[in-house]
């Protein structure tokens, strides 16, 4: 869990690997290994990380990624060369996502965000057919 927390905290603070490494006195490679879960920081570095992010060591190590209302932060994903993303295992488990499931890609250019949602294919097609009919009636 610490690796996910480290990625989340660094990305949310918009800090580069190099900036964080310099701030706590370690190499960029060390930060990368901690974030990838290859190794974990020793106690002095864990304390330095907690101080850097202004959180407790306990929060750094065991910060929950689920809110009490069922909202989650599953971590960051990277888009591959061909646009593919790997949905984190925990997200697949929580939402019952399996190979072959249909996901809808939603976006809002005004807010600058996008999301994936698991939907029933029939419901999506029904919704999209309604959208087409609405746009044809407006012509």
């Amino acid at each position: 869990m610490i690796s996910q927390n480290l990625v989340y905290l660094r990305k949310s603070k918009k800090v580069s690997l190099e900036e964080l490494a310099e701030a706590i006195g370690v190499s960029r490679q060390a930060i990368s290994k901690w974030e990838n879960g290859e190794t974990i920081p020793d106690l002095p570095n864990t304390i330095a990380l907690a101080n850097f992010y202004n959180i407790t060591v306990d929060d750094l190590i065991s910060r929950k990624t689920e809110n009490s209302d069922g909202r989650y932060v599953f971590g960051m994903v990277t888009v591959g060369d061909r646009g593919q993303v790997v949905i984190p295992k925990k997200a697949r488990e929580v939402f019952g996502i399996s190979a072959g499931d249909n996901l809808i890609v939603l976006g809002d250019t005004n807010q600058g965000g996008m999301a994936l949602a698991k939907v029933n294919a029939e419901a999506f097609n029904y919704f999209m057919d309604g959208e087409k009919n609405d746009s044809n009636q407006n012509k």
Side-chain angles (χ1 to χ4, degrees):
M1 182 173 320
I2 190 171
S3 62
Q4 294 172 337
N5 290 343
L6 289 171
V7 172
Y8 172 78
L9 288 164
R10 187 175 60 76
K11 299 276 184 179
S12 67
K13 300 284 187 190
K14 295 183 170 68
V15 177
S16 71
L17 287 170
E18 291 80 8
E19 291 169 329
L20 178 56
E22 185 176 326
I24 66 166
V26 297
S27 69
R28 179 189 63 77
Q29 291 84 356
I31 302 289
S32 180
K33 286 181 179 181
W34 298 339
E35 289 185 358
N36 289 324
E38 294 175 34
T39 62
I40 59 172
D42 61 14
L43 187 55
N45 285 322
T46 302
I47 293 168
L49 287 162
N51 288 338
F52 180 83
Y53 291 119
N54 197 29
I55 59 174
T56 66
V57 170
D58 187 50
D59 283 343
L60 179 65
I61 293 170
S62 61
R63 186 178 146 267
K64 294 181 181 178
T65 56
E66 176 189 5
N67 292 331
S68 60
D69 61 0
R71 293 183 293 165
Y72 292 81
V73 174
F74 292 107
M76 301 288 288
V77 298
T78 302
V79 178
D81 293 339
R82 296 176 37 208
Q84 69 275 26
V85 295
V86 176
I87 299 170
K89 181 180 180 188
K90 179 75 173 171
R92 294 191 314 266
E93 291 171 351
V94 167
F95 292 103
I97 299 171
S98 302
D101 282 349
N102 293 292
L103 302 177
I104 184 172
V105 180
L106 306 167
D108 184 337
T109 57
N110 294 323
Q111 295 289 324
M114 67 178 270
L116 295 174
K118 181 179 176 183
V119 297
N120 175 295
E122 287 180 26
F124 174 73
N125 290 332
Y126 178 80
F127 172 77
M128 292 307 291
D129 288 343
E131 289 289 309
K132 288 177 193 172
N133 291 337
D134 288 347
S135 64
N136 288 336
Q137 290 175 359
N138 292 333
K139 289 184 181 179

